[in-house]
Coordinates of all heavy atoms in Angstrom, one line a residue:
M115 N 46.7 153.5 107.4 CA 46.3 154.8 106.9 C 46.7 155.9 107.8 O 46.3 155.9 109.0 CB 44.8 154.8 106.5 CG 44.3 156.2 106.1 SD 44.7 156.7 104.5 CE 44.0 155.5 103.5
Y116 N 47.5 156.8 107.4 CA 47.9 158.0 108.2 C 47.2 159.2 107.7 O 46.9 159.4 106.5 CB 49.4 158.2 108.1 CG 50.2 157.0 108.8 CD1 50.8 156.1 108.0 CD2 50.2 156.9 110.2 CE1 51.4 155.0 108.6 CE2 50.9 155.9 110.7 CZ 51.5 154.9 110.0 OH 52.1 153.9 110.6
K117 N 47.0 160.1 108.6 CA 46.3 161.4 108.3 C 47.2 162.5 108.9 O 47.9 162.3 109.9 CB 44.9 161.5 108.9 CG 44.0 160.5 108.3 CD 42.6 160.6 108.9 CE 41.6 159.6 108.2 NZ 40.3 159.8 108.8
D118 N 47.1 163.7 108.3 CA 47.8 164.8 108.8 C 47.0 165.4 110.0 O 46.0 164.9 110.4 CB 48.2 165.9 107.7 CG 47.0 166.7 107.3 OD1 45.9 166.5 107.7 OD2 47.3 167.6 106.5
S119 N 47.5 166.5 110.5 CA 46.9 167.1 111.7 C 45.6 167.8 111.4 O 44.8 168.1 112.3 CB 47.9 168.1 112.3 OG 49.0 167.5 112.8
D120 N 45.3 168.0 110.1 CA 44.0 168.5 109.7 C 43.0 167.4 109.3 O 41.9 167.6 108.9 CB 44.1 169.5 108.6 CG 44.7 170.8 109.0 OD1 44.5 171.2 110.2 OD2 45.3 171.5 108.2
G121 N 43.5 166.1 109.3 CA 42.6 165.0 109.0 C 42.8 164.6 107.5 O 42.0 163.7 107.1
A122 N 43.6 165.2 106.7 CA 43.8 164.8 105.3 C 44.6 163.5 105.2 O 45.6 163.3 105.9 CB 44.6 165.9 104.6
K123 N 44.2 162.6 104.4 CA 44.8 161.3 104.2 C 46.2 161.5 103.5 O 46.3 162.3 102.6 CB 44.0 160.4 103.4 CG 42.7 160.0 104.0 CD 41.9 159.1 103.1 CE 40.5 158.7 103.8 NZ 39.7 157.9 102.9
L124 N 47.2 160.7 104.0 CA 48.5 160.8 103.4 C 48.8 159.6 102.7 O 48.5 158.5 103.1 CB 49.5 161.0 104.6 CG 49.4 162.2 105.4 CD1 50.4 162.2 106.6 CD2 49.6 163.5 104.6
K125 N 49.6 159.8 101.5 CA 50.0 158.6 100.7 C 51.3 159.0 100.0 O 51.7 160.1 100.0 CB 48.9 158.3 99.7 CG 48.7 159.4 98.7 CD 47.6 159.1 97.7 CE 47.3 160.1 96.7 NZ 47.5 161.5 97.0
A126 N 51.9 157.9 99.5 CA 53.2 158.1 98.8 C 52.9 159.1 97.6 O 51.9 159.1 97.0 CB 53.7 156.8 98.2
G127 N 53.8 160.0 97.4 CA 53.7 161.1 96.4 C 53.3 162.4 97.0 O 53.4 163.4 96.3
D128 N 52.7 162.4 98.2 CA 52.3 163.7 98.9 C 53.6 164.3 99.5 O 54.6 163.6 99.6 CB 51.3 163.4 100.0 CG 50.0 163.0 99.5 OD1 49.6 163.3 98.4 OD2 49.2 162.4 100.3
T129 N 53.5 165.5 99.9 CA 54.6 166.2 100.6 C 54.0 166.7 101.9 O 52.9 167.3 101.9 CB 55.1 167.4 99.8 OG1 55.7 166.9 98.6 CG2 56.2 168.2 100.6
V130 N 54.7 166.5 103.0 CA 54.2 167.0 104.3 C 55.1 168.2 104.7 O 56.3 168.2 104.4 CB 54.2 165.9 105.4 CG1 53.1 164.9 105.1 CG2 55.5 165.3 105.6
I131 N 54.6 169.1 105.5 CA 55.3 170.2 106.1 C 55.2 170.1 107.6 O 54.1 169.8 108.2 CB 54.6 171.5 105.6 CG1 54.6 171.6 104.1 CG2 55.3 172.7 106.3 CD1 53.8 172.7 103.6
F132 N 56.3 170.3 108.3 CA 56.4 170.3 109.7 C 57.5 171.2 110.2 O 58.3 171.7 109.3 CB 56.5 168.9 110.3 CG 57.8 168.2 109.9 CD1 58.9 168.3 110.7 CD2 57.9 167.5 108.7 CE1 60.1 167.6 110.3 CE2 59.0 166.8 108.3 CZ 60.1 166.9 109.2
S133 N 57.6 171.5 111.4 CA 58.8 172.2 112.0 C 59.3 171.6 113.2 O 58.5 170.8 113.9 CB 58.4 173.7 112.2 OG 57.4 173.8 113.2
Y134 N 60.5 171.9 113.6 CA 61.1 171.3 114.8 C 62.2 172.3 115.3 O 62.7 173.1 114.5 CB 61.7 169.9 114.6 CG 62.9 169.9 113.7 CD1 64.2 170.0 114.3 CD2 62.9 169.8 112.4 CE1 65.3 169.9 113.5 CE2 64.0 169.7 111.6 CZ 65.2 169.8 112.2 OH 66.4 169.8 111.4
G135 N 62.5 172.2 116.5 CA 63.6 173.0 117.1 C 63.3 174.4 117.5 O 62.1 174.8 117.4
I136 N 64.3 175.0 118.1 CA 64.1 176.4 118.6 C 65.3 177.2 118.1 O 66.5 176.9 118.5 CB 64.1 176.5 120.2 CG1 62.9 175.7 120.7 CG2 64.0 177.9 120.7 CD1 62.8 175.5 122.1
P137 N 65.1 178.2 117.3 CA 63.9 178.6 116.7 C 63.4 177.5 115.7 O 64.2 176.7 115.2 CB 64.3 179.9 115.9 CG 65.7 179.8 115.6 CD 66.3 179.0 116.8
P138 N 62.1 177.5 115.4 CA 61.5 176.5 114.6 C 62.2 176.5 113.2 O 62.4 177.5 112.6 CB 60.1 176.8 114.5 CG 59.8 177.7 115.6 CD 61.1 178.5 115.9
L139 N 62.5 175.3 112.7 CA 63.0 175.0 111.4 C 61.9 174.4 110.5 O 61.4 173.3 110.9 CB 64.2 174.2 111.4 CG 64.9 173.9 110.1 CD1 65.4 175.1 109.5 CD2 66.1 172.9 110.4
R140 N 61.5 175.0 109.4 CA 60.4 174.5 108.6 C 61.0 173.4 107.6 O 62.1 173.6 107.0 CB 59.8 175.6 107.8 CG 58.7 175.1 106.9 CD 58.1 176.4 106.2 NE 56.9 176.1 105.5 CZ 56.8 175.8 104.2 NH1 57.8 175.6 103.5 NH2 55.6 175.5 103.7
V141 N 60.3 172.3 107.5 CA 60.8 171.2 106.6 C 59.6 170.8 105.7 O 58.5 170.7 106.2 CB 61.2 170.0 107.5 CG1 61.7 168.8 106.6 CG2 62.3 170.4 108.4
E142 N 59.9 170.6 104.4 CA 59.0 170.0 103.5 C 59.6 168.6 103.1 O 60.7 168.6 102.6 CB 58.9 170.8 102.2 CG 58.1 172.1 102.5 CD 57.8 172.9 101.2 OE1 57.7 172.2 100.1 OE2 57.6 174.1 101.3
A143 N 58.8 167.6 103.4 CA 59.3 166.2 103.1 C 58.4 165.4 102.2 O 57.2 165.2 102.6 CB 59.5 165.5 104.5
P144 N 58.9 165.0 101.1 CA 58.1 164.1 100.2 C 57.9 162.7 100.9 O 58.8 162.3 101.6 CB 58.9 164.0 98.9 CG 60.3 164.4 99.3 CD 60.2 165.2 100.5
L145 N 56.8 162.1 100.6 CA 56.5 160.8 101.2 C 56.7 159.7 100.1 O 56.2 159.9 98.9 CB 55.0 160.8 101.7 CG 54.7 161.8 102.8 CD1 53.2 161.6 103.2 CD2 55.6 161.7 104.0
V146 N 57.3 158.7 100.5 CA 57.5 157.5 99.6 C 57.1 156.2 100.3 O 57.0 156.2 101.6 CB 59.0 157.4 99.1 CG1 59.3 158.6 98.3 CG2 59.9 157.2 100.2
E147 N 56.9 155.2 99.6 CA 56.6 153.9 100.2 C 57.9 153.1 100.2 O 58.5 152.9 99.1 CB 55.5 153.1 99.6 CG 55.1 151.9 100.3 CD 53.9 151.2 99.7 OE1 53.0 151.9 99.2 OE2 53.8 149.9 99.8
K148 N 58.4 152.6 101.3 CA 59.5 151.7 101.4 C 59.2 150.5 102.2 O 58.8 150.6 103.4 CB 60.7 152.4 102.0 CG 61.4 153.4 101.1 CD 62.7 153.8 101.8 CE 63.5 154.7 100.8 NZ 64.8 155.0 101.4
N149 N 59.4 149.3 101.6 CA 59.1 148.1 102.4 C 57.7 148.1 103.0 O 57.5 147.6 104.1 CB 60.2 147.8 103.4 CG 61.5 147.7 102.8 OD1 61.7 147.1 101.8 ND2 62.5 148.3 103.5
G150 N 56.7 148.6 102.3 CA 55.4 148.6 102.7 C 55.0 149.7 103.8 O 54.0 149.7 104.3
K151 N 56.0 150.6 104.1 CA 55.8 151.6 105.1 C 55.9 153.0 104.4 O 56.6 153.2 103.5 CB 56.9 151.5 106.2 CG 56.8 150.2 106.9 CD 57.9 150.1 107.9 CE 57.7 148.7 108.6 NZ 58.7 148.5 109.6
L152 N 55.1 153.9 105.0 CA 55.1 155.3 104.5 C 56.2 156.0 105.1 O 56.3 156.1 106.4 CB 53.8 156.0 104.8 CG 53.5 157.3 104.1 CD1 53.6 157.1 102.5 CD2 52.1 157.8 104.5
V153 N 57.2 156.6 104.3 CA 58.4 157.2 104.8 C 58.5 158.6 104.3 O 58.3 158.9 103.1 CB 59.6 156.4 104.4 CG1 60.9 157.0 104.7 CG2 59.5 155.0 104.9
A154 N 58.9 159.5 105.2 CA 59.2 160.9 104.9 C 60.7 161.1 104.6 O 61.5 160.6 105.4 CB 58.8 161.9 106.0
I155 N 61.0 161.6 103.4 CA 62.4 161.9 103.1 C 62.8 163.3 103.5 O 62.3 164.3 103.1 CB 62.6 161.7 101.5 CG1 62.1 160.4 101.0 CG2 64.0 161.9 101.2 CD1 62.8 159.2 101.7
T156 N 63.7 163.3 104.5 CA 64.1 164.5 105.1 C 65.6 164.9 104.9 O 66.4 165.1 105.8 CB 63.8 164.5 106.6 OG1 64.5 163.3 107.2 CG2 62.3 164.4 106.9
T157 N 65.9 164.9 103.6 CA 67.3 165.1 103.2 C 67.8 166.4 103.8 O 67.1 167.4 103.8 CB 67.4 165.2 101.6 OG1 66.8 164.0 101.1 CG2 68.8 165.4 101.2
G158 N 69.0 166.4 104.3 CA 69.7 167.5 105.0 C 69.3 167.7 106.4 O 69.8 168.6 107.1
H159 N 68.5 166.7 107.0 CA 68.2 166.7 108.4 C 68.6 165.4 108.9 O 68.9 164.4 108.2 CB 66.7 167.0 108.6 CG 66.3 168.2 108.0 ND1 66.3 169.4 108.6 CD2 65.7 168.5 106.7 CE1 65.9 170.4 107.8 NE2 65.5 169.9 106.7
T160 N 68.6 165.2 110.3 CA 69.0 164.0 110.9 C 67.7 163.5 111.6 O 67.2 164.2 112.5 CB 70.1 164.2 111.9 OG1 71.2 164.7 111.2 CG2 70.5 162.9 112.5
P161 N 67.3 162.3 111.2 CA 67.8 161.4 110.2 C 67.3 161.8 108.8 O 66.5 162.7 108.7 CB 67.1 160.0 110.6 CG 65.8 160.4 111.2 CD 66.1 161.7 112.0
N162 N 67.9 161.2 107.8 CA 67.6 161.6 106.4 C 66.2 161.1 105.9 O 65.7 161.5 104.9 CB 68.6 161.0 105.4 CG 69.9 161.8 105.5 OD1 69.9 163.0 105.8 ND2 71.0 161.1 105.4
E163 N 65.7 160.1 106.7 CA 64.3 159.6 106.4 C 63.7 159.1 107.7 O 64.4 158.8 108.6 CB 64.3 158.6 105.3 CG 65.1 157.3 105.6 CD 65.1 156.3 104.5 OE1 65.3 156.7 103.3 OE2 64.8 155.1 104.8
C164 N 62.4 159.1 107.7 CA 61.7 158.6 108.9 C 60.3 158.1 108.6 O 59.6 158.7 107.8 CB 61.6 159.9 109.9 SG 60.8 159.6 111.4
E165 N 59.9 157.0 109.2 CA 58.6 156.6 109.0 C 57.6 157.6 109.5 O 57.8 158.3 110.5 CB 58.3 155.3 109.8 CG 59.0 154.1 109.2 CD 58.6 152.8 109.9 OE1 57.4 152.6 110.2 OE2 59.5 152.0 110.2
V166 N 56.5 157.8 108.8 CA 55.5 158.8 109.2 C 55.0 158.6 110.6 O 54.8 159.6 111.3 CB 54.3 158.8 108.2 CG1 53.2 159.7 108.6 CG2 54.9 159.3 106.8
K167 N 54.8 157.4 111.0 CA 54.2 157.1 112.4 C 55.2 157.6 113.4 O 54.8 158.2 114.4 CB 53.9 155.7 112.6 CG 55.0 154.7 112.7 CD 54.5 153.3 113.0 CE 55.7 152.4 113.1 NZ 55.3 151.0 113.5
E168 N 56.5 157.5 113.2 CA 57.5 158.0 114.1 C 57.6 159.5 114.0 O 57.8 160.2 115.0 CB 58.9 157.4 113.8 CG 58.9 155.9 114.1 CD 60.2 155.2 113.7 OE1 61.1 155.9 113.1 OE2 60.4 154.0 114.0
L169 N 57.6 160.1 112.8 CA 57.6 161.5 112.6 C 56.6 162.2 113.4 O 56.9 163.2 114.1 CB 57.5 161.8 111.1 CG 57.6 163.3 110.7 CD1 58.9 163.9 111.1 CD2 57.3 163.5 109.2
I170 N 55.4 161.7 113.3 CA 54.2 162.4 114.0 C 54.6 162.4 115.5 O 54.3 163.3 116.2 CB 52.9 161.6 113.8 CG1 52.5 161.8 112.3 CG2 51.8 162.1 114.7 CD1 51.4 161.0 111.8
G171 N 55.1 161.3 116.0 CA 55.5 161.2 117.5 C 56.6 162.2 117.8 O 56.6 162.7 118.9
Y172 N 57.5 162.4 116.9 CA 58.7 163.3 117.2 C 58.3 164.8 117.1 O 58.7 165.6 117.9 CB 59.8 163.1 116.2 CG 60.5 161.8 116.3 CD1 60.9 161.1 115.2 CD2 60.7 161.2 117.6 CE1 61.6 159.9 115.3 CE2 61.3 159.9 117.7 CZ 61.8 159.3 116.5 OH 62.4 158.1 116.6
V173 N 57.5 165.2 116.1 CA 57.3 166.6 115.8 C 55.9 167.1 116.2 O 55.6 168.2 116.2 CB 57.6 167.0 114.4 CG1 59.1 166.7 114.1 CG2 56.7 166.4 113.4
G174 N 55.0 166.1 116.4 CA 53.6 166.5 116.8 C 52.7 166.7 115.6 O 52.1 165.8 115.1
N175 N 52.7 167.9 115.1 CA 51.8 168.2 113.9 C 52.6 168.2 112.6 O 53.7 168.7 112.5 CB 51.2 169.6 114.1 CG 50.4 169.7 115.3 OD1 49.5 168.8 115.6 ND2 50.5 170.7 116.1
I176 N 51.9 167.5 111.6 CA 52.4 167.5 110.3 C 51.2 167.9 109.4 O 50.1 167.6 109.7 CB 53.0 166.2 109.8 CG1 52.0 165.1 109.8 CG2 54.2 165.8 110.7 CD1 52.5 163.8 109.2
Y177 N 51.5 168.6 108.3 CA 50.4 169.0 107.4 C 50.8 168.7 106.0 O 51.9 168.8 105.5 CB 50.3 170.6 107.5 CG 49.9 171.0 108.9 CD1 50.8 171.4 109.8 CD2 48.6 170.9 109.3 CE1 50.5 171.7 111.1 CE2 48.2 171.3 110.6 CZ 49.2 171.7 111.5 OH 48.8 172.0 112.8
K178 N 49.7 168.2 105.2 CA 49.9 167.9 103.8 C 50.0 169.1 103.0 O 49.2 170.0 103.2 CB 48.7 167.0 103.4 CG 48.7 166.6 102.0 CD 47.5 165.7 101.6 CE 47.5 165.3 100.2 NZ 46.3 164.5 99.9
K179 N 51.0 169.2 102.2 CA 51.2 170.4 101.3 C 50.2 170.2 100.2 O 50.3 169.2 99.5 CB 52.6 170.5 100.8 CG 52.9 171.7 100.0 CD 54.3 171.8 99.5 CE 54.5 173.0 98.7 NZ 55.9 173.1 98.2
E180 N 49.4 171.2 99.9 CA 48.5 171.2 98.8 C 49.2 171.5 97.5 O 50.0 172.4 97.5 CB 47.3 172.1 99.1 CG 46.5 171.8 100.3 CD 45.8 170.4 100.2 OE1 45.3 170.1 99.1 OE2 45.7 169.8 101.2
S181 N 48.9 170.8 96.5 CA 49.6 171.0 95.2 C 48.8 172.2 94.6 O 47.6 172.4 94.7 CB 49.5 169.8 94.3 OG 48.1 169.5 94.1
K182 N 49.6 173.0 93.8 CA 49.0 174.2 93.1 C 48.6 173.7 91.7 O 49.4 173.1 91.0 CB 50.1 175.3 93.0 CG 50.4 175.9 94.4 CD 51.4 177.0 94.2 CE 51.8 177.5 95.6 NZ 52.8 178.6 95.5
Q183 N 47.4 173.9 91.4 CA 46.9 173.5 90.1 C 46.2 174.7 89.4 O 45.7 175.5 89.9 CB 45.9 172.4 90.2 CG 46.6 171.1 90.7 CD 45.7 169.9 90.8 OE1 44.5 170.0 90.5 NE2 46.2 168.8 91.1

C-alpha cells in the first residue's frame, strides 16, 4: 500500500502530481496496475512509466490529484 506525501492512499485509477528538474516541470501521471505493481504512466517523459515506489525515491513528494465532483 502506497500513500502520497499527505498520507492519502494510492490505487490504480488515481492520478498523482509531482514535479522534477530546474526549473520545475509539473507532471500529472495516472496510476495503473501492471504485473501486480502500482505504476505511474509518465508519457512524454523519460522513462514513460515508473513504479510508484521508485517514483517516490526519484522525485520525493507526490500528491494525489483530487477528482472534481
Side-chain angles (χ1 to χ4, degrees):
M115 171 73 60
Y116 294 103
K117 295 182 180 181
D118 77 354
S119 297
D120 288 333
K123 294 179 183 177
L124 299 174
K125 64 183 181 323
D128 290 338
T129 298
V130 293
I131 301 168
F132 63 92
S133 62
Y134 70 93
I136 301 174
L139 181 61
R140 183 178 190 268
V141 179
E142 290 189 22
L145 301 180
V146 299
E147 186 174 330
K148 284 191 172 185
N149 300 319
K151 298 177 182 182
L152 193 58
V153 174
I155 304 299
T156 54
T157 304
H159 303 275
T160 302
N162 288 327
E163 62 183 45
C164 180
E165 285 186 46
V166 169
K167 70 177 183 178
E168 293 175 354
L169 179 63
I170 293 168
Y172 293 143
V173 301
N175 295 315
I176 63 172
Y177 299 94
K178 181 178 177 178
K179 182 178 180 182
E180 296 298 322
S181 60
K182 294 180 181 179
Q183 294 182 356

